[in-house]
Amino acid sequence: MIKKAILPVAGIGTRFLPATKVVPKELLPIVDKPVIQYLVEEAVSSGIEEIIFVISKDKELIRDYFSPNPELEETLRIKGKSDALQKVAELHKMAKFSYVYQNEPLGDGDAILKAKELIGNEPFMVLFGDDIIKGDVPASKQLIQNYTGGVIIAVEEVDKKYAPLYGIIDPGVQNGNLFEVKTLVEKPSPEEAPSNLGIIGKFICPPEIFEAIENSPSGKDGELRLVDGILSLSQSQKIWALKMEGQRFDTGKPDGLVSANNAYLNA
Ligand code: UTP
């Protein structure tokens, strides 16, 4: 069973500046809850019991958000605001929350390595801070239900003109929404894209991924990436991709967050 999830949220959120100069993008709201709460709810409703946040000193507010706030709770109690009190008081009980630090933004792979000691010898979920999927079955649950070992990657169909914004999989045998992955191509041109299946920031990885990330070369920007670790691991383990059911929003950029707000507000 998959019981732990790493949420690397130490990135600097350049696509959302200046809003993210002081407020982490993960705390920007979709209606009345921050993006990160949707991700925690997704994980918890899929059976995840421990959430390991990888944060930086600029992201301490995320830790505050999932910690008790006795003063606020007392004020709400005195004012008789029981609905508000319940919403606030339940946050830190949603899961076991752990925090590790990435002091420099050296890539999502480097961030994941910081959580290695807390994972142990079991497969685990990785959820990037941006990708929200609105649908009947929580996205993490879809992945867990289809996981048989190796790596499973969430993908969505994308118009090939947007292929340069994605990692694109080269699919092998298909069984319903599940695809064998032959290889991955990072940000290909539309002509070079091997399919229209783009990678979304949700994965289940085996513990061997840590060594694979450690041994993968850093990219030209000096960053270590999870996808490079997955590529190395593909030599010894199976890689799968699951086309997600539901509507996906990239909340790490303004139009994606606005679309998510419209969708959830009108739901
Ligand atoms: P993104 O590619 O979205 O990067 O990272 P970012 O810095 O958050 O945002 P932009 O692209 O500059 O606008 C994917 C996930 O990996 C985390 C991010 O927080 C996000 O959840 N990440 C990225 C880290 O934790 N550390 C890093 O060094 C880079």
Side-chain angles (χ1 to χ4, degrees):
M1 274 319 274
I2 314 294
K3 294 288 170 205
K4 296 182 182 180
I6 301 177
L7 275 63
V9 289
I12 47 181
T14 41
R15 287 170 300 159
F16 229 129
L17 284 167
T20 46
K21 180 167 176 254
V22 290
V23 180
K25 65 177 176 182
E26 297 80 9
L27 291 181
L28 297 175
I30 302 174
V31 191
D32 60 350
K33 294 186 291 195
V35 169
I36 196 78
Q37 188 172 340
Y38 288 81
L39 283 174
V40 170
E41 286 174 355
E42 172 194 318
V44 169
S45 61
S46 307
I48 299 291
E49 294 171 356
E50 179 171 357
I51 306 272
I52 304 163
F53 286 113
V54 185
I55 60 171
S56 65
K57 66 172 175 27
D58 295 329
K59 299 280 186 115
E60 291 285 357
L61 283 175
I62 294 175
R63 187 176 195 145
D64 293 347
Y65 188 75
F66 290 103
S67 301
N69 183 335
E71 292 83 10
L72 175 60
E73 288 175 28
E74 186 54 20
T75 305
L76 293 171
R77 196 169 291 117
I78 291 166
K79 287 180 180 286
K81 307 256 184 209
S82 51
D83 285 356
L85 174 62
Q86 194 185 353
K87 285 181 193 163
V88 167
E90 281 180 355
L91 284 172
H92 70 276
K93 299 179 192 151
M94 293 175 74
K96 175 176 184 219
F97 295 106
S98 307
Y99 300 86
V100 293
Y101 285 79
Q102 185 194 33
N103 296 325
E104 271 183 276
L106 295 176
D108 54 66
D110 178 72
I112 290 162
L113 285 181
K114 306 292 181 202
K116 180 178 173 181
E117 300 305 320
L118 295 183
I119 289 293
N121 196 26
E122 55 189 285
F124 58 94
M125 184 78 65
V126 175
L127 299 174
F128 286 177
D130 294 340
D131 282 318
I132 299 294
I133 296 177
K134 184 172 181 293
D136 294 337
V137 183
S140 296
K141 189 180 249 176
Q142 295 180 39
L143 290 173
I144 289 170
Q145 284 171 342
N146 283 278
Y147 185 66
T148 50
V151 175
I152 188 166
I153 305 172
V155 293
E156 67 167 347
E157 282 181 346
V158 296
D159 189 321
K160 273 202 176 175
K161 72 178 178 213
Y162 297 120
L165 301 175
Y166 283 83
I168 301 287
I169 66 157
D170 184 1
V173 176
Q174 177 181 2
N175 180 3
N177 283 340
L178 191 66
F179 300 80
E180 209 179 341
V181 176
K182 292 197 282 189
T183 190
L184 318 168
V185 189
E186 267 298 277
K187 303 185 166 55
S189 66
E191 300 72 36
E192 284 163 349
S195 74
N196 65 345
L197 296 171
I199 296 176
I200 307 172
K202 300 181 191 291
F203 311 80
I204 298 174
C205 298
E208 292 80 15
I209 193 69
F210 294 113
E211 203 181 329
I213 297 172
E214 279 161 356
N215 293 335
S216 65
S218 26
K220 52 181 182 304
D221 46 10
E223 294 196 357
L224 272 181
R225 307 284 311 279
L226 172 60
V227 285
D228 292 326
I230 293 175
L231 261 182
S232 313
L233 198 61
S234 67
Q235 291 170 10
S236 56
Q237 298 211 16
K238 275 266 188 218
I239 314 296
W240 303 95
L242 183 69
K243 196 163 72 176
M244 293 280 103
E245 305 269 11
Q247 197 181 359
R248 180 253 180 176
F249 302 97
D250 179 357
T251 64
K253 54 192 184 64
D255 59 338
L257 188 68
V258 170
S259 303
N261 268 287
N262 285 328
Y264 280 93
L265 193 60
N266 297 322

